[in-house]
Amino acid sequence: MMDARVVVVGSTNLDLVVTAPTLPRPGETVLGNGFSTVPGGKGANQAVAAARAGARCAFVGAVGQDGFADQLRASLADAGVDVRRLRSVPGPSGVALIAVDAGAENLIVVAPGANGELTSLADPDQAVVEAADVLLAQLEVPVEAVVQAAAWARTAGVTVILNAAPARRLPAELLDVVDLLVVNQVEAAVIAGVDEAGGPDGGLDGLLDALLALVPRAVVTLGARGVRYADRFGLRLSVPSPTVEAVDTTAAGDAFTGALAVAWAERGGPVDPAAVTSALSWACAAGAACARRPGASTALPTRDEIDELFAQSYQRNEEAA
């Protein structure tokens, strides 16, 4: 396999995590049973996930000028992420308030802070993007920066993977340069402008059809049920997730997406069904491995951990086929 080069344009936050028996309803106060502070943010999590999955990963983002900034920068660097394009801007760093219940479900509120100041990129950012195999972006930073980076990537022949979360209707100039869209079922409905499918599997084909009217390839993540994939070339796949004892699903989606960027780069942008299935399965193994531990960035699995769960869950079936 090739040495994957992934650049992430995205957010970095300090996660303030409270565990509780149940999640509060509107207006309700729930007594928690644990608290921790963990470096996170969708962009930073996916950068760490990609680095731990074996990529050479660079991060483009922003931190504030507060007590959290050094901790956030160090957490990325310690994971092997290149932080030379992580700039410092006036004001607070991003913060996420996360509540996790006994069933590993969570609620998250994000205060963007410095992430909201990443409205434009610079020439050194362009050089980093153009040197990558895959650009991975999310929507916790201003969409203007994502559009700018994605346009550079398209011109340079770099694959653009967009994890469109938090979900919003996307501008045409971004949709036109996305190679692979990664969303959950709720996000897919928002982006496509359709009603969310009812039932565990009903309507997913319709959602995928709606997404393919916007982008050439789409992955819809379904949590413990795995993922669905479709592209404009007629390929449709359903990939199950490994069965694990979930402790905290907070960063499982980021683990999946970061690992998928690595697998996509290593497999040269899969075009045949077996390669696409293998990339999606390996990414599902990353997400499931992450859910076995509490926390966000601290729970992201190493390549060895992903390989082990992948082999246990899929390898035998692949060899038999």
Side-chain angles (χ1 to χ4, degrees), residues 85-191:
R85 299 310 306 155
L86 177 59
R87 67 263 284 146
S88 176
V89 300
S93 299
V95 172
L97 307 179
I98 303 173
V100 183
D101 71 11
E105 291 299 323
N106 63 73
L107 291 175
I108 305 174
V109 178
V110 176
N115 299 303
E117 301 302 314
L118 194 71
T119 56
S120 64
L121 304 180
D123 289 346
D125 302 317
Q126 181 175 2
V128 170
V129 169
E130 292 179 344
D133 300 304
V134 170
L135 166 68
L136 177 57
Q138 317 77 30
L139 298 177
E140 286 186 344
V141 296
V143 71
E144 296 91 341
V146 176
V147 170
Q148 190 176 8
W152 288 338
R154 171 55 63 90
T155 300
V158 176
T159 297
V160 177
I161 298 179
L162 176 65
N163 176 212
R168 67 186 77 173
R169 299 300 293 272
L170 301 175
E173 60 263 37
L174 179 55
L175 292 169
D176 288 346
V177 293
V178 169
D179 294 296
L180 175 63
L181 180 71
V182 180
V183 287
N184 64 27
Q185 199 165 345
V186 174
E187 293 157 355
V190 172
I191 290 163

Side-chain angles (χ1 to χ4, degrees), residues 181 183-185 188 204 208 211 218-222 226-229:
L181 180 71
V183 287
N184 64 27
Q185 199 165 345
L204 277 174
L208 288 166
L211 293 176
V219 174
V220 176
T221 61
L222 304 170
V227 301
R228 289 285 300 275
Y229 170 88

Side-chain angles (χ1 to χ4, degrees), residues 13 28 50 56-57 72 82 87 90 105-106 133 138 142 155 159 165 180 191 206 234 257 260 266 272 289 305:
N13 302 316
E28 180 184 18
R56 286 188 288 156
C57 185
L72 293 172
D82 182 344
R87 67 263 284 146
E105 291 299 323
N106 63 73
D133 300 304
Q138 317 77 30
T155 300
T159 297
L180 175 63
I191 290 163
T257 306
L260 182 60
E266 290 181 343
D272 68 274
E305 290 170 330

